[in-house]
């Protein structure tokens, strides 16, 4: 059992050397990790400067390999973990690696589909059109003449990924035990999130189902195409999609495309993602320029690579729609409320300060073209506001944030003068009519009525269950009354005085009766001695009671 751990520690030491080469040696010195990872070889000094550290971290992850590139892509969606300058750099990571041989491709295809490549396809191009850490894509032709893209998983990918995950878990354990500066991060949970994500990518059937949903959502759309899935040729390690013939947005050069064409493409991309987010609630989570194709002309785009997707509930979409409409209509005062509806938490006593900061950021960039905006500066300002206001961001919107930020950077490269509000205003009007029109409101009212009716039907059974629990002693009810103790003390004093007063009255009456009717026994001044003692005792009690009342100030 010690051997794998030793190998892992050796690999971690190699990773540490790569980190030192890229200028992160100061980090190991600061956190006293040099006993685990001693330095060897040349060392670049960064001193943790924000202007350099993001770039060098991206270069370091590139050198460490595909799994670490994907881990960096995950970190780029976590502004609660890393500062804005590093987030902006990590968003530039691309999953691009050396392809594996055709013989390995043929072996995987035959193992998964049960037939050889020659039996399945009439043509299968040897050279892949794209290669990534988990798989690569080949162009092929089906027996019916359909051109397809065949995505084949890299042999040994699961084994390599599990080995890298083991390293990340070990690094997370060391960070928890040795690095106090990272106490605010649950490193184990971060690696768990990454492990779930990358293990899902190992099953191509999940990506095929995502592609199917997008294909249905955009069926019949005049400007957006999504490839069809060929399920007969799809398994956990092989994915076959319809081939889309077009030009990647990454390959569009300004000198080859007219300004009007690039403008139309940028507008169409923005509208497409608005449709996914606000109408479908199911959006492409990785809109980098290699995943968007221009299909011959500027008013036709195609989407590929459906491994990362985001899902929104109908409630999420309604709240996002309201915020989007208020933003497009310059209704800034409503934005804190809209953000709170989405789950963003901020101290109520600082609401006015939050609104003032939000208004300042909003109007600083409202109406500006992308060419006039520094995206890094916006990210820095937004997250500086988040940190200073102690805001809590809902994690389900982190992928949405990454998707929008990536789309914005693609828009800058494609058409720098693009103003998103030119698209947002007319889209918001249409969205308002569609989402809050009479037909949609009637549909929502019908759904709510059904829900309320179902709740009314369940109420007697719930009440019966509650009463049974009370009967069986499973429910205890406690009451807390503020000021009840003081009231009880006062009542106690009143009753005590009342008792003393009754004793005094009884003593006086009894002594009087004894004095009148008692003839025998000793007498003092003609009065029975017992009657005298009774009068004396009652008098003393009466004087004590009167003194207590006078001292209380309540006569």
């Amino acid at each position: 059992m010690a051997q794998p751990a030793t190998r892992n520690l050796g690999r971690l030491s190699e990773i540490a050397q790569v980190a030192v080469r890229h200028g992160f040696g100061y980090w190991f010195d600061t956190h006293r990790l040099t006993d685990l990872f001693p330095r060897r070889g040349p060392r670049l000094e960064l001193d943790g400067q924000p202007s350099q550290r993001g770039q060098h971290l991206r270069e370091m992850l590139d050198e460490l390999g595909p799994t670490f590139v994907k881990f960096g892509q995950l970190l780029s969606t976590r502004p609660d973990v890393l500062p804005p300058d590093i987030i902006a750099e990590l968003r530039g990571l691309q999953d691009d690696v050396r392809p594996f041989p055709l013989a390995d491709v043929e072996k995987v295809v035959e193992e998964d589909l049960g037939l050889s490549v020659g039996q399945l396809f009439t043509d299968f191009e040897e050279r892949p059109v794209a290669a990534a850490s988990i798989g690569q894509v080949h162009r092929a032709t089906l027996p019916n003449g359909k051109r397809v893209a065949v995505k084949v998983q890299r042999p040994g990918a699961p084994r390599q990924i599990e080995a890298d995950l083991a390293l990340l878990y070990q690094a997370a354990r060391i960070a928890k035990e040795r690095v106090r500066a990272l106490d605010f991060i649950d490193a184990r949970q971060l690696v768990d999130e990454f492990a779930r994500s990358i293990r899902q990518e190992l099953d191509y059937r999940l990506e095929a189902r995502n592609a199917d949903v997008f294909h249905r959502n955009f069926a019949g759309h005049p400007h957006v195409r999504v490839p069809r899935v060929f399920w007969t040729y799809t398994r956990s390690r092989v994915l076959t999609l319809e081939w889309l013939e077009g030009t990647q947005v990454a390959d569009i050069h300004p000198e080859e495309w007219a300004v009007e064409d690039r403008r139309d493409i940028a507008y169409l991309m923005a509208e497409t993602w608005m449709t996914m987010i606000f109408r479908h609630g199911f959006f492409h989570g990785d809109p980098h320029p290699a995943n968007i194709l221009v299909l011959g002309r500027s008013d036709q785009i195609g989407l590929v690579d459906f491994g990362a997707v985001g899902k929104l509930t109908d409630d999420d979409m309604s709240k996002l729609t309201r915020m989007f409409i208020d933003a497009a209509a310059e209704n800034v005062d409503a934005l804190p409320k809209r953000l709170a509806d989405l789950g963003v938490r901020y101290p109520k006593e600082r609401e006015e300060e939050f609104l003032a900061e939000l208004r300042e950021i909003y109007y600083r960039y409202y109406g500006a073209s992308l060419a006039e905006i520094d995206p890094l500066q916006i990210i820095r300002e937004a997250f500086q506001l988040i940190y200073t206001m102690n805001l809590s961001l809902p994690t389900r919107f982190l992928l949405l944030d990454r998707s929008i930020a990536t789309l914005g950077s693609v828009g800058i490269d494609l058409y720098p003068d693009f103003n998103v509000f030119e698209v947002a205003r007319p889209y918001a009007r249409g969205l308002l009519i569609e989402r809050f029109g009479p037909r949609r409101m009637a549909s929502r009212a019908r759904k709510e009525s059904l829900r309320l009716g179902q709740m009314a039907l369940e109420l007697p059974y719930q009440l019966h269950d509650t009463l049974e629990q009370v009967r069986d002693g499973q429910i205890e009810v406690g009451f807390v009354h503020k000021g009840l103790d003081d009231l009880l003390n006062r009542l106690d004093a009143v009753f005590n005085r009342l008792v003393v007063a009754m004793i005094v009255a009884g003593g006086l009456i009894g002594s009087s009766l004894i004095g009148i009717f008692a003839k025998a026994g000793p007498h003092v001044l003609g009065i029975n001695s017992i009657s005298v003692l009774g009068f004396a005792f009652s008098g003393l009690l009466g004087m004590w009671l009167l003194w207590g009342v006078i001292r209380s100030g309540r006569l």
Side-chain angles (χ1 to χ4, degrees), residues 56-126:
H56 284 277
L57 178 60
R58 176 172 55 78
E59 292 171 351
M60 182 190 84
L61 293 173
D62 264 328
E63 183 177 340
L64 288 174
T67 306
F68 292 90
V69 167
K70 284 194 170 292
F71 189 58
Q73 290 171 341
L74 168 72
L75 291 176
S76 73
T77 68
R78 295 299 301 269
D80 55 328
V81 172
L82 293 176
D85 60 296
I86 295 181
I87 292 284
E89 281 289 341
L90 293 184
R91 279 175 169 157
L93 282 169
Q94 295 298 321
D95 191 14
D96 190 15
V97 297
R98 187 175 300 176
F100 54 94
L102 180 63
D104 291 337
V105 172
E106 292 174 337
K107 183 180 178 183
V108 172
V109 170
E110 187 166 355
E111 287 176 355
D112 261 34
L113 297 179
L115 295 172
S116 67
V117 168
Q119 292 172 312
L120 291 165
F121 306 99
T122 58
D123 179 52
F124 193 93
E125 294 187 7
E126 179 177 350

Side-chain angles (χ1 to χ4, degrees), residues 100-339:
F100 54 94
L102 180 63
D104 291 337
V105 172
E106 292 174 337
K107 183 180 178 183
V108 172
V109 170
E110 187 166 355
E111 287 176 355
D112 261 34
L113 297 179
L115 295 172
S116 67
V117 168
Q119 292 172 312
L120 291 165
F121 306 99
T122 58
D123 179 52
F124 193 93
E125 294 187 7
E126 179 177 350
R127 186 175 180 178
V129 294
S133 56
I134 293 180
Q136 63 191 35
V137 179
H138 290 260
R139 187 159 46 186
T141 306
L142 296 179
N144 62 4
K146 288 278 188 181
R147 298 289 282 168
V148 293
V150 184
K151 188 174 182 179
V152 183
Q153 192 172 107
R154 187 177 293 271
R159 184 175 62 253
Q160 182 60 50
I161 285 170
E162 291 300 329
D164 288 338
L165 287 176
L167 288 175
L168 289 172
Y169 277 116
Q170 191 165 357
R173 181 182 57 79
I174 292 172
K176 182 178 181 180
E177 294 173 355
R178 306 285 294 268
V179 186
R180 297 277 70 84
L182 297 179
D183 282 347
F184 75 99
I185 299 171
D186 189 338
R188 171 75 187 219
Q189 186 181 44
L190 195 63
V191 178
D192 280 340
E193 180 184 348
F194 173 63
R196 280 194 302 272
S197 171
I198 199 167
R199 282 168 178 156
Q200 284 181 351
E201 289 190 43
L202 290 171
D203 189 349
Y204 285 169
R205 290 170 296 188
L206 296 177
E207 183 176 346
R209 285 195 284 272
N210 292 338
D212 244 1
V213 174
F214 283 116
H215 184 76
R216 288 196 302 270
N217 288 345
F218 285 100
H221 195 285
H223 306 295
V224 182
R225 280 190 62 193
V226 176
R228 170 190 162 201
V229 179
F230 291 91
W231 285 100
T232 307
Y233 296 84
T234 296
R235 297 292 185 276
S236 62
R237 295 189 297 165
V238 179
L239 170 63
T240 304
L241 297 171
E242 176 187 3
W243 178 264
L244 297 183
E245 192 68 54
T247 304
Q248 291 182 352
V249 169
D251 296 332
I252 292 179
H253 302 292
E255 60 273 11
E256 298 174 4
W257 289 74
V259 174
E260 294 78 8
D261 290 337
R262 288 186 279 117
R263 177 183 179 277
D264 290 344
I265 295 168
Y267 273 63
L268 180 54
M269 285 165 46
E271 288 182 2
T272 300
W273 259 262
M274 287 180 189
T275 299
M276 292 182 199
I277 295 166
F278 297 111
R279 285 193 166 92
H280 301 159
F282 191 82
F283 61 92
H284 196 299
D286 191 15
H288 71 73
N291 290 338
I292 306 171
L293 306 176
V294 180
L295 307 179
R297 58 182 197 267
S298 59
D299 65 344
Q300 292 277 342
I301 64 170
L303 308 178
V304 295
D305 194 351
F306 309 101
V309 299
K311 301 178 182 68
L312 299 170
T313 65
D314 190 65
D315 188 50
D316 288 336
M317 286 190 289
S318 294
K319 291 172 180 176
L320 279 169
T321 299
R322 292 189 186 100
M323 186 177 73
F324 175 70
I325 291 169
D326 283 329
E330 300 186 63
N331 187 13
V332 187
D333 291 349
L335 293 182
K337 172 68 166 61
R338 300 306 182 208
L339 289 168

Side-chain angles (χ1 to χ4, degrees), residues 318 321-322 325 431-438 441 444:
S318 294
T321 299
R322 292 189 186 100
I325 291 169
L431 201 62
L432 181 64
I433 293 170
E434 177 187 320
R435 196 158 189 84
F436 301 102
M441 295 300 289
R444 192 173 301 166

